[in-house]
Amino acid sequence: RVPMNLGEKFADTWFNYPKTQDKETMTDLLAEDFKWETVTKARINDKIFETKEDTLNTLSMITNSGEWSIFHSSDEVLVASVQIIAPIDNSKRGVIFSVVFENGKAIKMISANGDGR
């Protein structure tokens, strides 16, 4: 097996978090000044930006990892999506993520969500 690049490792840890609750690895992958920006209304809370602490808290509330796909992955950038069933109204939701890495850590993530197919 080829070693995972940083994007693949981040995706694996992020999307499997509901099953593993791997806070230690997720904490290590996020820079101290990490910022998650959503360009559409957030579903779990109403924040437009989340800090590292906010992000770990949001992740801990997600109970279903959904079906995810990686579109591009490297040690600099990850572009991925996930389809989940929203617990609030049982509707299918789609979320696309772009994550930027610097010095081995995620420094910024931008996401947008909408109706899944």
Side-chain angles (χ1 to χ4, degrees), residues 29-115:
L29 288 171
L30 300 177
E32 286 308 310
D33 59 352
F34 172 81
K35 187 180 278 186
W36 177 4
E37 178 183 356
T38 180
V39 294
T40 52
K41 187 168 169 28
R43 295 286 170 246
I44 290 179
N45 59 41
D46 289 329
K47 293 182 179 177
I48 302 298
F49 292 101
E50 290 200 9
T51 63
K52 178 177 180 172
E53 190 178 329
D54 293 334
T55 298
L56 291 169
N57 187 46
T58 295
L59 270 179
S60 71
M61 290 189 273
I62 298 171
T63 56
N64 179 354
S65 53
E67 286 180 52
W68 52 281
S69 302
I70 294 175
F71 302 114
H72 176 79
S73 171
S74 71
D75 288 334
E76 290 80 36
V77 175
L78 167 70
V79 180
S81 73
V82 65
Q83 286 211 45
I84 55 165
I85 303 295
I88 299 162
D89 59 3
N90 234 15
S91 63
K92 245 191 176 179
R93 309 296 307 167
V95 185
I96 189 160
F97 298 89
S98 293
V99 186
V100 178
F101 303 103
E102 200 171 86
N103 300 322
K105 303 234 183 222
I107 59 167
K108 182 170 186 168
M109 182 165 84
I110 300 172
S111 67
N113 64 55
D115 295 334

Side-chain angles (χ1 to χ4, degrees), residues 9-27 29 56 59-60 62-65 68:
K9 183 174 183 179
F10 184 91
D12 189 57
T13 305
W14 180 275
F15 292 121
N16 288 311
Y17 195 90
K19 288 185 279 217
T20 64
Q21 294 291 308
D22 189 358
K23 191 169 186 154
E24 191 175 309
T25 302
M26 198 72 249
T27 299
L29 288 171
L56 291 169
L59 270 179
S60 71
I62 298 171
T63 56
N64 179 354
S65 53
W68 52 281

